[in-house]
């Protein structure tokens, strides 16, 4: 029997190796086919984007070249994306049809650019989309067939492995402990993220609590690491590159873990790390070295200008409560938010100051509904001054929270909490109705009224009942048209241009004015003004802060103001604080000024006094 096993064991092992090699090759092929599915999908989406841009008068030859580059590599397997040529006749035939249809679309794009009707381009685009779908389905079907065959081979491998395992156990019982170690490693892999190899959060929590309980005399800290602008990286370079970045960072972080240290992946581009330390400086220096080494690696270096890392650190010794993994992660995450998107500082330690802020935020969260029910939210007005005659021409309604016994809360503090907890929409509507009530009372008394603008949060903007509710309130209080202005932010415009255009049209139909707020804060694009029929453009206060080149800044402002006037759009300069800025804005014919140089936000009753004084005399500027 022993002699037979000596002969059978190598044969079984050889069979296992052969089947495994074939299976690995098949699995590799399936992975390549998944990549093909992804890139055919890119062709499908990018080609539709090309056609949309062409039909809207925004040709993008770079995107056209990108589509053609991918198509050529799909057909030939030669290129920079690492695509392969699949051994599927149906898929290849569909790919040929896709290439031919793309050539047709290209020809019709040339026709549209020369003035031809775009209807044929739209039909060809739809046909291209159908062929692309068929191509995706064919490679998916082929991939599934290969997967089924591979599964069969894996089953055979499993059976053969079982036989070999039984033989190994019978003849090599002394290897038991080695096999046990192997099983523990496999179990550990089951609790790890497939992409990065970091622990899933549930396992991370368990391991952190276990390690800290077993080592009470050592210092431990949890770090919460977040990549800033990662969505932009995915959008520009694709999810494959984004995945490579995440795998690269996990590799750098794990290669520098010491005994009793762990890496976990929370979600998307966010990681958590358990570290041992002797001093805070050592802890921070260790993490900064990992980050810098990663950011200077060949994977990132050419695009480093887009990649920044922010992190929060919670040391167990700083916990008021008993140190516990979930609490430490939450507090490290909270500390991370203190430095995210803030230049000059990459890491923050959770401490007493942040703890007080967290408690304060929880207090706001706990009583925000009570505050609304008790009408603790009050409306303030900030006047907008006409440049030509110095009188109050309009105002912006702002919200303040007057907490009994505490006074006014800073809007910079409570508004982010309301936004985070999706409560800001209720406050938006509350402020809007208070403004309408004020209008109705003033009009019934025959008092002076001026147009008032109200802010609308992103949450409110995307609410399906946004316009019906606001239009209903306006109608309820019989507010005349063009007396209420809805302020929309540029970030919304960049997220969903078509939806924003629809909303602006419906607001106009219901008698509202529309303004684009915060113009100049980073999203700004003059292209927005080409298609968006707004009534007012609000120039952000960033234009009026101390500048290293005032002349350059003023040239830009003059150009913007002159241009939008040609589009019959009014301009409001926000954040103006100095008289010389007023003189400049007057010289370039800006319409309105809103800033501390004239008035700070004030309670409604004080604003009424300003309106009353406004009737008696005009301020000279």
């Amino acid at each position: 029997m022993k002699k037979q096993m000596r002969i059978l064991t190598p044969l079984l092992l050889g069979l296992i190796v052969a089947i495994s090699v074939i299976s690995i090759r098949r699995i590799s092929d399936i992975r390549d086919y998944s990549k093909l599915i992804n890139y055919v999908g890119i062709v499908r989406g990018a080609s539709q984007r090309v056609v949309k841009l062409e039909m809207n008068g925004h040709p993008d030859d770079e995107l056209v070249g990108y589509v053609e580059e991918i198509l050529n590599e799909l057909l030939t397997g030669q290129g920079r994306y690492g695509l392969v040529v699949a051994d599927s006749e149906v898929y290849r035939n569909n790919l040929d049809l896709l290439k031919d249809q793309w050539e047709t679309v290209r020809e019709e794009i040339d026709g549209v650019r020369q003035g031809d009707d775009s209807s044929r381009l739209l039909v060809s685009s739809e046909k291209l989309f159908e062929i692309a779908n068929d191509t995706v389905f064919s490679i998916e079907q082929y991939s599934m067939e290969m997967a089924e065959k591979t599964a069969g081979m894996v089953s055979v491998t499993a059976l053969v492995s079982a036989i070999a395992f039984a033989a190994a156990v019978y003849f090599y019982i002394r290897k038991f402990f080695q096999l046990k170690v192997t099983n523990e490693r496999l179990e550990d892999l089951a609790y790890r993220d497939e992409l990065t190899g970091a622990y899933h959060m549930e396992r991370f929590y368990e391991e952190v609590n276990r390690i800290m309980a077993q080592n009470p005399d050592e210092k431990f800290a949890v770090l919460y690491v977040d990549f800033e602008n990662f969505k932009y990286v995915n959008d520009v370079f694709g999810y494959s590159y984004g995945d490579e970045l995440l795998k690269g960072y996990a590799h750098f972080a794990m290669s520098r873990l010491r005994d009793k240290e762990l890496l976990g992946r929370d979600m998307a581009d966010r990681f958590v790390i358990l570290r041992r330390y002797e001093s805070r400086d050592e802890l921070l220096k260790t993490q900064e070295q990992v980050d810098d080494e990663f950011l200077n690696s060949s994977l990132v270096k050419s695009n480093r200008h887009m990649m920044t890392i922010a992190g929060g650190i919670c040391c167990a010794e700083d916990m008021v409560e008993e140190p516990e993994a979930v609490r430490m992660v939450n507090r490290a995450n909270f500390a991370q938010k203190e430095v995210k998107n803030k230049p000059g500082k990459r890491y923050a330690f959770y401490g007493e100051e942040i703890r007080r802020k967290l408690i304060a935020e929880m207090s706001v969260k706990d009583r925000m509904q009570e505050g609304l029910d008790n009408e603790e939210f009050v409306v303030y007005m900030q006047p907008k001054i006409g440049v030509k005659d110095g009188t109050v021409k309009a105002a912006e309604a702002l919200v303040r929270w007057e907490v009994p016994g505490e006074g006014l809360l800073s809007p910079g503090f409570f508004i982010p909490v309301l936004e985070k907890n999706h409560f800001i929409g209720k406050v938006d509507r509350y402020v809007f109705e208070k403004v309408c009530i004020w209008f109705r009372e003033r009009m019934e008394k025959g008092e002076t009224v001026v147009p008032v603008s109200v802010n609308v949060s992103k949450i409110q903007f995307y609410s399906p009942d946004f316009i019906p509710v606001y239009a209903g309130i306006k109608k309820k209080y019989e507010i005349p048209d063009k007396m209420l202005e809805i302020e929309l932010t540029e970030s919304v415009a960049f997220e969903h241009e078509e939806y924003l255009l629809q909303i602006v049209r419906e607001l106009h139909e219901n008698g509202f004015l529309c303004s684009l707020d915060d113009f100049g804060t980073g999203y700004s694009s003059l292209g927005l003004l080409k298609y968006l029929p707004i009534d007012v453009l609000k120039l952000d206060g960033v234009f009026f802060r101390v500048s290293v080149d005032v002349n350059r800044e003023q040239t830009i402002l003059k150009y913007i103001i002159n241009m939008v006037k040609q589009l019959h759009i009014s301009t409001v300069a926000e954040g103006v604080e100095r008289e010389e800025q007023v003189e400049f804005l007057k010289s370039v014919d800006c319409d309105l000024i809103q800033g501390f140089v004239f008035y700070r936000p004030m309670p409604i009753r004080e604003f009424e006094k300003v309106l009353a004084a406004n009737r008696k005399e005009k301020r000279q500027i």
Side-chain angles (χ1 to χ4, degrees):
M1 182 65 178
K2 186 174 181 180
K3 182 178 180 181
Q4 292 174 335
M5 290 304 300
R6 285 179 178 175
I7 298 173
L8 182 59
T9 298
L11 290 176
L12 288 173
L13 291 175
L15 181 59
I16 291 171
V17 170
I19 295 176
S20 298
V21 169
I22 297 172
S23 298
I24 291 170
R25 179 60 184 273
R26 288 280 182 83
I27 292 171
S28 177
D29 289 343
I30 292 170
R31 182 190 60 188
D32 291 335
Y33 298 154
S34 298
K35 196 172 183 180
L36 293 180
I37 293 170
N38 182 39
Y39 275 84
V40 174
I42 291 174
V43 170
R44 177 177 59 191
S47 64
Q48 297 303 300
R49 178 65 175 168
V50 167
V51 171
K52 179 180 177 182
L53 291 172
E54 291 292 338
M55 295 183 71
N56 287 316
H58 301 288
D60 189 338
D61 289 333
E62 183 176 351
L63 186 57
V64 170
Y66 178 60
V67 173
E68 291 185 344
E69 183 182 15
I70 294 175
L71 268 175
N72 290 333
E73 186 168 344
L74 286 168
L75 286 163
T76 64
Q78 301 295 319
R80 62 191 177 115
Y81 300 111
L83 305 180
V84 299
V85 177
D87 189 19
S88 168
E89 184 175 352
V90 175
Y91 164 70
R92 290 202 300 269
N93 289 339
N94 283 329
L95 204 55
D96 289 336
L97 291 174
L98 184 60
K99 176 66 173 178
D100 292 341
Q101 187 62 26
W102 170 251
E103 295 299 331
T104 300
V105 169
R106 281 298 314 275
E107 292 175 4
E108 291 175 1
I109 286 174
D110 293 338
V112 169
R113 292 183 180 182
Q114 295 173 12
D116 291 348
D117 182 61
S118 62
S119 59
R120 292 179 58 190
L121 174 58
L122 181 60
V123 173
S124 296
S125 170
E126 291 173 350
K127 185 175 180 181
L128 178 73
F129 188 86
E130 293 174 359
I131 295 173
N133 276 340
D134 293 340
T135 307
V136 170
F137 294 151
S138 62
I139 191 59
E140 283 181 341
Q141 181 63 33
Y142 184 69
S143 179
M144 289 173 59
E145 292 172 0
M146 294 294 291
E148 290 174 358
K149 292 178 181 178
T150 303
M153 297 185 68
V154 170
S155 298
V156 172
T157 304
L159 178 61
V160 174
S161 298
I163 296 172
F165 178 76
V169 170
Y170 181 77
F171 286 100
Y172 305 103
I173 193 66
R174 289 175 298 178
K175 301 290 184 181
F176 172 77
F177 290 105
Q178 292 179 346
L179 292 174
K180 182 180 178 182
V181 171
T182 300
N183 287 335
E184 288 175 350
R185 289 177 179 172
L186 291 173
E187 182 183 3
D188 183 66
L189 288 174
Y191 291 104
R192 292 185 178 274
D193 174 57
E194 184 177 356
L195 176 67
T196 64
Y199 277 119
H200 294 304
M201 289 305 295
E202 290 302 320
R203 185 66 170 187
F204 180 83
Y205 292 144
E206 293 175 4
E207 289 297 304
V208 168
N209 288 332
R210 180 186 62 80
I211 291 172
M212 290 196 302
Q214 292 177 354
N215 302 274
D217 297 329
E218 295 195 61
K219 292 183 178 180
F220 289 96
V222 167
L223 292 80
Y224 194 97
V225 181
D226 188 8
F227 289 84
E228 299 177 7
N229 304 320
F230 197 77
K231 182 179 183 299
Y232 178 72
V233 173
N234 277 334
D235 290 343
V236 173
F237 297 101
Y239 287 94
S240 296
Y241 179 69
D243 288 347
E244 289 301 317
L245 289 177
L246 296 178
K247 287 192 289 186
Y249 184 80
H251 170 75
F252 274 90
M254 286 192 290
S255 66
R256 287 148 186 80
L257 292 178
R258 301 174 298 172
D259 182 41
K260 304 170 191 173
E261 295 185 341
L262 305 170
L263 176 72
R265 185 184 181 193
D266 185 9
M267 62 177 70
D269 57 324
R270 302 173 187 178
F271 292 91
V272 287
I273 306 172
L274 175 70
R275 289 200 184 279
R276 291 186 295 121
Y277 68 97
E278 295 295 332
S279 70
R280 293 171 187 265
D281 289 342
E282 169 226 336
L283 175 63
L284 184 59
K285 183 178 180 180
T286 298
Q287 188 58 36
E288 288 178 336
Q289 286 177 342
V290 171
D291 294 344
D292 289 339
E293 189 170 351
F294 170 70
L295 292 172
N296 288 312
S297 66
S298 58
L299 182 64
V300 182
K301 195 169 186 178
S302 60
N303 301 311
R304 180 171 180 174
H305 62 284
M306 295 189 307
M307 294 290 298
T308 53
I309 298 174
I313 306 172
C314 177
C315 299
E317 61 183 330
D318 292 334
M319 296 280 291
V320 175
E321 312 92 332
E322 183 71 21
E324 188 273 332
V326 174
R327 295 194 191 102
M328 292 178 69
V329 168
N330 288 340
R331 282 152 179 75
N333 184 18
F334 194 82
Q336 173 264 145
K337 293 174 183 177
E338 292 294 300
V339 294
K340 187 173 182 179
N341 296 318
K342 295 180 181 178
K345 191 174 182 182
R346 290 164 51 187
Y347 275 88
F349 281 90
Y350 174 82
E352 182 60 27
E353 181 179 349
I354 294 179
R355 190 180 76 85
R356 286 197 301 267
K357 185 174 180 180
L358 178 59
I359 293 172
E361 284 200 9
M362 292 301 296
S363 175
V364 168
K365 178 183 176 182
D366 290 342
R367 70 179 314 275
M368 56 191 180
Q369 183 62 56
E370 179 184 351
L372 191 61
D373 294 339
N374 295 338
E375 297 192 359
E376 295 172 9
F377 292 97
V378 294
V379 178
Y380 271 46
M381 295 286 194
Q382 186 172 24
K384 300 176 185 178
I385 307 302
V387 172
K388 293 182 179 179
D389 60 10
T391 61
V392 177
K393 298 295 186 182
E396 179 180 1
L398 302 166
V399 65
R400 298 292 185 264
W401 190 352
E402 192 168 358
V403 180
E406 297 182 25
L408 289 176
L409 293 184
S410 167
F413 169 64
F414 73 81
I415 287 179
V417 180
L418 301 184
E419 290 175 340
K420 186 192 306 182
N421 292 279
H422 306 290
F423 195 78
I424 190 67
K426 291 184 178 181
V427 176
D428 283 346
R429 291 193 295 273
Y430 171 87
V431 170
F432 178 72
E433 184 156 11
K434 287 293 184 183
V435 169
C436 290
I437 292 172
W438 177 78
F439 262 114
R440 174 48 39 203
E441 291 175 348
R442 295 280 293 181
M443 289 187 294
E444 289 179 351
K445 295 177 182 178
E447 300 283 357
T448 302
V449 291
V450 294
V452 175
S453 62
V454 294
N455 292 284
V456 174
S457 66
K458 187 183 297 186
I459 293 173
Q460 183 75 354
F461 176 79
Y462 284 115
S463 173
D465 63 353
F466 164 45
I467 291 183
V469 168
Y470 274 56
I473 296 173
K474 175 178 176 291
K475 183 177 180 181
K476 174 182 176 182
Y477 294 101
E478 299 178 350
I479 309 301
D481 289 348
K482 297 187 178 181
M483 293 301 292
L484 292 168
E485 177 185 315
I486 303 297
E487 296 194 6
L488 305 168
T489 62
E490 284 187 306
S491 60
V492 171
F494 276 82
E495 289 175 358
H496 206 314
E497 295 179 4
E498 293 181 0
Y499 181 69
L500 177 61
L501 182 58
Q502 173 190 336
I503 289 294
V504 170
R505 286 172 178 166
E506 292 183 16
L507 286 170
H508 281 159
E509 290 170 2
N510 285 278
F512 291 96
L513 297 173
C514 296
S515 63
L516 189 62
D517 196 12
D518 300 332
F519 189 85
T521 56
Y523 289 96
S524 300
S525 170
L526 295 176
L528 279 174
L529 307 179
K530 181 173 65 175
Y531 75 90
L532 191 62
I534 59 171
D535 305 289
V536 180
L537 182 71
K538 300 193 71 175
L539 302 168
D540 190 77
V542 69
F543 286 113
F544 308 105
R545 295 171 192 152
V546 177
S547 173
V548 295
D549 192 337
V550 175
N551 291 332
R552 187 182 185 92
E553 188 175 78
Q554 290 183 347
T555 300
I556 294 171
L557 278 171
K558 180 178 179 180
Y559 168 77
I560 294 172
I561 292 171
N562 288 339
M563 182 193 67
V564 299
K565 279 190 171 296
Q566 299 299 316
L567 300 174
H568 307 291
I569 298 173
S570 299
T571 51
V572 178
E574 295 184 284
V576 179
E577 298 183 358
R578 302 193 304 277
E579 289 292 342
E580 61 267 26
Q581 294 170 339
V582 174
E583 292 302 319
F584 165 73
L585 290 168
K586 186 176 181 180
S587 71
V588 295
D589 203 21
C590 179
D591 294 299
L592 300 174
I593 294 176
Q594 178 183 352
F596 291 177
V597 68
F598 292 128
Y599 296 102
R600 293 175 179 269
M602 62 188 70
I604 282 184
R605 298 310 167 207
E606 290 185 22
F607 178 63
E608 291 175 345
K609 295 177 183 178
V610 171
L611 287 179
N614 191 65
R615 290 201 306 267
K616 297 179 180 178
E617 60 178 314
K618 296 182 180 180
R619 179 181 181 122
Q620 297 299 319
I621 62 173

